[in-house]
């Protein structure tokens, strides 16, 4: 009986790891020239890929483990804060050393996050705000209302320009002030128990597939007419779509595929830190080849995969503390 319970629990966590893996893969694709082949696909990816990570991060927060703020910070120092500053400094030095014309950085990004590492800083800021609000407010409806009110207030006080309102992009987020990532993080934590304890075995394949198709269509239709905070609607469509796909994959038990995607999901920090600089620096090599834009993008993506695999294995073996292990 205990074995069956553990298997079910493992299956539930597996779909979350698969979702994280698929999500980071879409992030990488979004930062390559491959995404530019289809503007519709590009817009779809960007409508939800970052909101999904904030939501999944909130889902993974087990606040019952932290009796006070001190215990929470102590844990995050080991798993996130030290890793952020170490990897971000290494990335910053790489950007400065390679001196690629279209990738520039300045000294402030050592604190705020270089390239995609801003995501880790925003995640930490969102966690800190949510931890405080969660300790003060227990009712989930009031909690979401207060969080949304804070976001709107700070957006107004900081003078966020209209086209950035409701987005999770770096320019729209204060260094230490809450933005839309806090909202998605809060939603993730609020649905945590329901999502992790949801019995995926009861779902029918045809039903999940149908929901995915409908949500993709709705998301594509909503994107041109979603402004400001209404961006949450195509975002949630995309999040539920990728979550549904992850549940399908976990049910199908395609061992090689699932293990690969879960491997990606467990090593997000390294991929977030280095995928952009590696992909763009590959241009130094491929520019000497007479390749079409598409072939060039595919070749650089393949080289990126090998490079990231080498980095992941190296960090996990020789410096696990750098990646929060």
């Amino acid at each position: 009986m205990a074995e069956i319970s553990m298997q079910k629990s493992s299956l539930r966590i597996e779909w979350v790891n698969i979702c994280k893996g698929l999500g980071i893969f879409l992030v990488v694709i979004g930062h390559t020239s491959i995404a530019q082949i289809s503007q519709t696909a590009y817009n779809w990816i960007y409508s939800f890929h970052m909101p999904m990570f904030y939501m999944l991060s909130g889902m993974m927060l087990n606040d019952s483990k932290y009796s006070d703020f001190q215990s929470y910070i102590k844990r995050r120092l080991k798993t996130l804060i030290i890793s952020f500053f170490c990897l971000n400094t290494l990335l910053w030095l790489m950007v400065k050393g390679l001196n690629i014309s279209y990738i520039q950085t300045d000294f402030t990004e050592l604190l705020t996050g270089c390239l995609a590492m801003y995501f880790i800083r925003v995640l930490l800021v969102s966690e800190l705000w949510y931890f405080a609000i969660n300790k003060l407010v227990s009712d989930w409806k009031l909690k979401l209302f207060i969080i949304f009110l804070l976001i709107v207030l700070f957006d107004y006080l900081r003078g966020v320009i209209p086209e950035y309102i409701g987005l999770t992009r770096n320019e729209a987020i204060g260094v230490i002030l809450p933005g839309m990532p806090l909202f998605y993080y809060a939603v993730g934590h609020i649905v945590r128990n329901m999502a992790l304890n949801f019995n995926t075995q009861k779902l029918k394949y045809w039903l999940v597939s149908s929901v995915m198709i409908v949500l993709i269509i709705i998301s594509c239709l909503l994107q041109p007419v979603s402004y400001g905070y209404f961006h949450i609607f195509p975002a949630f469509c995309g999040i539920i779509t990728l979550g549904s796909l992850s549940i399908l994959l976990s049910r199908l038990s395609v061992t090689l595929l699932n293990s690969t995607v879960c491997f990606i999901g467990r090593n997000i920090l390294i991929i977030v830190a280095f995928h952009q600089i590696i992909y763009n620096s590959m241009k130094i090599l491929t520019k000497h080849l007479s390749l079409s834009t598409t072939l060039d993008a595919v070749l650089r993506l393949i080289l990126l995969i090998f490079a990231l695999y080498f980095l992941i294995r190296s960090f996990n073996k020789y410096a696990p503390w750098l990646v929060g292990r």
Side-chain angles (χ1 to χ4, degrees):
M1 199 73 173
E3 285 186 19
I4 294 174
S5 178
M6 288 179 64
Q7 286 174 356
K8 288 182 177 179
S9 175
S10 176
L11 188 63
R12 289 163 189 160
I13 299 300
E14 185 183 27
W15 79 259
V16 176
N17 284 328
I18 291 173
C19 196
K20 289 161 63 178
L22 291 174
I24 196 62
F25 179 74
L26 290 180
V27 169
V28 172
I29 292 297
H31 287 155
T32 69
S33 304
I34 293 175
Q36 305 296 332
I37 295 174
S38 170
Q39 189 61 44
T40 301
Y42 178 85
N43 292 340
W44 181 70
I45 291 172
Y46 269 81
S47 71
F48 74 91
H49 70 319
M50 295 315 294
M52 186 188 71
F53 277 113
Y54 296 120
M55 189 168 169
L56 287 174
S57 298
M59 197 182 295
M60 292 295 101
L61 173 66
N62 185 2
D63 54 340
S64 62
K65 292 166 55 178
Y66 309 111
S67 57
D68 52 31
F69 185 71
Q70 184 179 357
S71 61
Y72 164 74
I73 285 295
K74 185 178 179 180
R75 173 65 178 170
R76 292 318 260 162
L77 270 171
K78 178 183 178 182
T79 59
L80 189 66
I81 299 173
I82 292 175
S83 299
F84 167 75
F85 283 110
C86 290
L87 292 177
N88 188 61
T89 301
L90 178 58
L91 176 62
W92 189 87
L93 292 171
M94 288 174 66
V95 172
K96 285 294 186 183
L98 290 169
N99 194 29
I100 300 173
S101 59
Y102 47 90
I103 299 181
Q104 298 298 318
T105 188
D106 56 56
F107 186 75
T108 61
E109 290 183 356
L110 281 170
L111 296 176
T112 61
C114 184
L115 298 179
M117 284 297 282
Y118 85 87
F119 157 70
I120 307 301
R121 182 257 304 170
V122 172
L123 175 61
L124 179 60
V125 169
S126 300
E127 280 192 2
L128 292 173
W129 277 92
Y130 183 77
F131 189 87
I133 295 170
N134 190 49
K135 289 295 182 183
L136 296 172
V137 184
S138 57
D139 182 74
W140 69 269
K141 294 183 288 294
L142 180 59
K143 195 183 303 180
L144 276 183
F145 176 75
I146 291 172
I147 286 171
F148 191 74
L149 195 64
L150 280 174
I151 293 168
V152 174
L153 177 63
F154 281 119
D155 280 352
Y156 174 76
L157 293 177
R158 292 189 292 114
V160 177
I161 58 178
E163 55 263 41
Y164 290 167
I165 288 177
L167 300 177
T168 57
R169 58 185 294 159
N170 196 22
E171 299 92 330
I173 304 164
V175 175
I176 58 172
L177 297 177
M180 284 305 293
L182 173 59
F183 178 79
Y184 292 111
Y185 188 93
V187 172
H189 187 253
I190 288 168
V191 303
R192 166 186 165 82
N193 289 333
M194 181 184 70
L196 296 185
N197 294 315
F198 184 69
N199 188 355
T200 58
Q201 296 296 318
K202 291 183 178 180
L203 293 175
K204 304 295 183 182
Y205 291 115
W206 68 266
L207 179 61
V208 178
S209 302
S210 301
V211 169
M212 287 170 54
I213 294 170
V214 170
L215 287 175
I216 290 173
I217 294 172
I218 292 174
S219 179
C220 292
L221 292 174
L222 284 176
Q223 285 170 34
V225 295
S226 295
Y227 301 100
Y229 301 108
F230 289 102
H231 284 292
I232 62 174
F233 294 113
F236 280 123
C237 285
I239 292 169
I240 296 172
T241 300
L242 214 65
S244 301
L245 178 58
S246 303
I247 290 172
L248 278 180
L249 290 175
S250 67
R251 287 277 305 279
L252 290 171
S253 299
V254 184
T255 305
L256 180 60
L257 176 62
N258 288 0
S259 61
T260 300
V261 177
C262 285
F263 174 80
I264 295 171
R266 290 191 299 268
N267 293 281
I268 286 178
L269 195 57
I270 300 171
I271 298 172
V272 167
F274 298 111
H275 74 277
Q276 282 177 290
I277 188 63
I278 293 174
Y279 179 82
N280 285 284
S281 63
M282 291 296 178
K283 191 67 177 176
I284 299 172
L285 301 175
T286 61
K287 69 179 182 180
H288 300 293
L289 305 174
S290 300
L291 299 174
S292 65
T293 302
T294 303
L295 283 177
D296 176 78
V298 171
L299 177 59
R300 282 194 284 161
L301 179 61
I302 293 171
L303 293 174
L304 171 64
I305 291 170
F306 281 107
L308 286 174
Y309 181 79
F310 172 78
L311 281 177
I312 289 169
R313 289 299 188 190
S314 299
F315 275 115
N316 285 325
K317 184 176 182 179
Y318 299 108
W321 59 274
L322 269 177
V323 291
R325 297 282 195 264

